[in-house]
Amino acid sequence: MQKLAIGMFDSGVGGMTVLREVRELLPHEHIIYFGDTARVPYGNKSPRMVTKYALESALFLLTKGIKLLIIACNTSSAFALRILQRRMPVPVIGVISPGAKEAVRNTTSGRVGVIGTRTTIRSMAYDRSIRKLDPGIEVFSQACPLFVPIVEEGLEHDEIASLMARKYLDSLKRSGIDVLVMGCTHYPVLEDVIRKTMGKDVKIVHSGKETAKEARMILEEKGLFNRRGRGKCEYFVTDAPESFHEIGGRILGEPLTHVRTLKSLDYRELLFSS
Ligand code: DGL
């Protein structure tokens, strides 16, 4: 079991910000990353579609033989975590609860901000998760839909990034929050701009980083932690492998090897293909 890989899925390439943290904390683990590049973005899709895609992605990863499943996508975590935890034969973690826990640990004002895709923000998943831990905390949320294309276009250092950050974050800044959760895979690429816009008194929480810590804890608890060898990464996408390669390599900070494009997401077909 220890030798099995960790499976991770995301709507596309953004999950590389989570992978980066997992690799840093768990360098000996093999990782199979699935990016649903044919159907990205999830952030403006309905809960029903997001859940269906999550089930398909998880089943695909199961066919590969994994010991832990990480839902790297915030939008998918918002809707599909519980159903996957009930149905999968392996432990499943999402990015929302680890991010929420870190926010609660760090706020002193009791005012926490959350930014994410439209669908994540509408789901109120972060609000619920935070308030379950501390019902007294007030949550202020803001969808930042243009942050995703800004990152994918490599414009994180361009003035458009600062302009949009000011536009999206201005009301959060005025609400008196002392913690801001980056509740979307892409936002850590914009962390400098977000930090600069919010000012030094606001702690920025990276949900992916907290998720990596949780993954390590679970593997240790269950005796599944791999302590030796260098972990390898394999990537599967549903379309456009070239741009996955290009953007993914940029976010991860190293070239991606072993990117394969799937012809089908039907797990029955996958089970019988080589
Ligand atoms: N991966 C998504 C998330 O973290 C962002 C990109 C998308 O909208 O699919 O919510």
Side-chain angles (χ1 to χ4, degrees), residues 10-11 14 40-44 72-76 117 120 148 183-186:
D10 178 47
S11 53
V40 68
Y42 287 1
N44 51 17
C73 177
N74 288 259
T75 311
S76 308
T117 65
T120 299
V148 168
C184 172
T185 47
H186 291 63

Side-chain angles (χ1 to χ4, degrees), residues 61-123:
L61 287 166
L62 262 193
T63 67
K64 296 276 153 206
I66 53 170
K67 59 182 176 186
L68 170 72
L69 177 64
I70 301 177
I71 310 175
C73 177
N74 288 259
T75 311
S76 308
S77 299
F79 296 105
L81 176 67
R82 228 166 285 142
I83 186 167
L84 288 178
Q85 282 179 329
R86 261 188 270 126
R87 303 227 177 138
M88 292 292 126
V90 294
V92 182
I93 58 173
V95 281
I96 291 182
S97 157
K101 278 186 206 154
E102 180 67 2
V104 172
R105 270 195 295 269
N106 280 280
T107 181
T108 47
S109 70
R111 296 173 152 242
V112 168
V114 177
I115 50 177
T117 65
R118 279 209 178 92
T119 304
T120 299
I121 296 303
R122 265 192 217 128
S123 78

Side-chain angles (χ1 to χ4, degrees), residues 165-186:
R166 282 204 297 278
K167 186 164 172 56
Y168 286 142
L169 305 178
D170 193 46
S171 66
L172 285 180
K173 208 173 158 181
R174 281 187 280 114
S175 65
I177 57 167
D178 61 354
V179 175
L180 177 65
V181 184
M182 295 187 289
C184 172
T185 47
H186 291 63

